């Protein structure tokens, strides 16, 4: 009986020595942990609450989770303008990073990480504004810039705020009195030329509409006289009218209008007639060949009947 008891005690001692050796080896590889931890771990009689107490002491009070101040947003910017995409983050810890990426389908293109810009396009940059706005700045917006942009915080799980960017492309048309696009306009000599230019798809337009006759600007032209321009700015565009009194042959030519440097120019051809018939002028090119064709057919039939 005594020999059996001795064997059990010896087995327990060997087990303890072996466990301590393993613990010391692991402890050497993890010097950040105190030796008391491995001592408590190796003891089969250590209470669970002692380990929990260690975790609580080392973990401390958990920091509040970061969050975005603003919800997802839709932004519309005018072609060629610059735009700020805001990303206000509260409770951002020093160990976390704010990044901007652009999403194209399943592809993500990194634009910024922290205060550093990684976009290959120099029009993109980070414009941080204190205390917590990680703004993405885009200069000279183009149609290709429209799409989804994401502000991300490297928390676990990550925080993502989406910005939908739309680029408004201006539309410029010279229209007639019925609102249809005008290609050619005909006026009698001595009458008043009236052209209407409609600029649309421009949120809060600025600048002014410029009228040109060929390469000559008409807005402030005083050499000819009788020229006036009236422009009305609206919430999403502009309507401008050009008046030229007492039209003459010299007023014929190409007229164009544009809104500053934002909206591309559109053009119409003006014809000032001295008694000519506009219809005859438009179809005059086809009247002679048609008459020639009919005459040829008649001569051919006459030859066959002889």
């Amino acid at each position: 009986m005594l020999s059996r008891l001795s064997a059990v005690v010896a087995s327990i001692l060997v087990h303890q020595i072996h466990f301590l050796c393993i613990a010391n080896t692991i402890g050497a590889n993890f010097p950040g942990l105190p030796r008391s931890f491995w001592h408590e771990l190796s003891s089969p009689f250590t209470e669970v609450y002692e380990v929990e107490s260690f975790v609580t002491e080392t973990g401390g009070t958990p920091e509040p989770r970061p969050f975005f101040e603003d919800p997802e947003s839709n932004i519309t910017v005018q072609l060629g303008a610059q735009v700020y995409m805001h990303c206000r983050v509260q409770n951002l810890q020093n160990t976390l990073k704010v990044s901007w990426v652009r999403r194209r389908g399943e592809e993500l293109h990194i634009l910024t990480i922290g205060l550093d810009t990684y976009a290959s396009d120099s029009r993109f940059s980070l414009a941080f504004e204190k205390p917590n706005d990680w703004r993405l700045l885009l200069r000279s917006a183009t149609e290709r810039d429209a799409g989804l942009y994401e502000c991300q915080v490297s928390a676990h799980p990550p925080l993502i705020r989406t910005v939908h960017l739309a680029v408004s492309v201006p539309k410029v048309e010279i229209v007639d009195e019925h609102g249809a696009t005008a290609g050619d306009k005909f006026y009698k000599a001595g009458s008043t030329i009236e052209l209407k230019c409609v600029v649309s798809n421009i949120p809060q337009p600025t600048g002014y509409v410029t009228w040109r006759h060929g390469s000559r600007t008409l807005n402030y032209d005083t050499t000819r006289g009788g020229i006036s321009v009236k422009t009305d700015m609206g919430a999403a565009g502009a309507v401008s009218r050009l008046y030229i009194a007492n039209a003459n042959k010299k007023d014929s030519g190409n007229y164009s209008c544009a809104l500053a440097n934002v909206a591309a120019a559109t053009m119409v051809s003006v014809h000032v007639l001295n008694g000519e018939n506009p219809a005859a002028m438009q179809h005059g090119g086809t009247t002679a060949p048609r008459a020639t064709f009919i005459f040829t057919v008649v001569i051919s039939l006459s030859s066959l009947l002889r």
Side-chain angles (χ1 to χ4, degrees), residues 84-299:
Y84 288 96
M85 288 174 264
H86 297 274
C87 184
R88 300 178 180 92
V89 185
Q90 287 282 13
N91 299 334
L92 184 66
Q93 303 153 23
N94 294 332
T95 56
L96 302 181
K97 292 285 188 181
V98 177
S99 304
W100 276 99
V101 299
R102 182 179 182 185
R103 180 178 291 277
R104 286 181 173 175
E106 297 300 319
E107 297 182 2
L108 289 177
H109 301 271
I110 298 175
L111 302 176
T112 68
I113 299 177
L115 296 173
D116 300 318
T117 301
Y118 293 92
S120 57
D121 190 335
S122 61
R123 295 177 303 127
F124 289 96
S125 62
L126 189 84
F128 180 76
E129 184 176 54
K130 293 182 179 180
N132 62 349
D133 193 356
W134 299 80
R135 303 179 303 172
L136 179 66
L137 171 60
L138 168 61
R139 297 181 178 87
S140 302
T142 67
E143 288 185 75
R144 290 177 54 84
D145 297 324
L148 297 180
Y149 294 81
E150 294 181 356
C151 179
Q152 301 184 355
V153 178
S154 59
H156 297 285
L159 300 177
I160 299 176
R161 177 179 179 271
T162 303
V163 175
H164 302 258
L165 179 67
V167 179
S168 180
V169 180
K171 184 178 181 181
V172 184
E173 293 179 303
I174 296 179
V175 299
D176 59 20
E177 58 274 11
H178 303 293
T181 303
D184 292 272
K185 298 281 286 183
F186 298 90
Y187 297 92
K188 291 182 179 180
S191 64
T192 298
I193 296 173
E194 179 180 348
L195 301 177
K196 180 181 177 182
C197 179
V198 179
V199 183
S200 56
N201 296 341
I202 299 183
Q204 299 177 347
T206 58
Y208 58 91
V209 175
T210 303
W211 284 94
R212 293 180 182 276
H213 179 203
S215 60
R216 183 166 59 98
T217 302
L218 300 178
N219 293 60
Y220 306 104
D221 189 297
T222 57
T223 57
R224 182 197 181 282
I227 297 177
S228 62
V229 175
K230 180 182 178 181
T231 302
D232 297 317
M233 291 293 186
V239 176
S240 182
R241 290 176 171 84
L242 171 67
Y243 301 94
I244 302 178
N246 195 24
N248 59 62
K249 278 285 190 179
K250 292 182 179 179
D251 295 321
S252 296
N254 294 328
Y255 287 76
S256 62
C257 71
L259 179 61
N261 295 323
V262 178
T266 188
M267 188 168 57
V268 65
S269 294
V270 170
H271 308 274
V272 179
L273 311 176
N274 288 321
E276 300 98 330
N277 184 354
M281 183 175 185
Q282 286 180 309
H283 303 292
T286 58
T287 301
R290 185 177 177 182
T292 302
F293 173 76
I294 294 173
F295 180 75
T296 303
V297 171
V298 171
I299 293 299

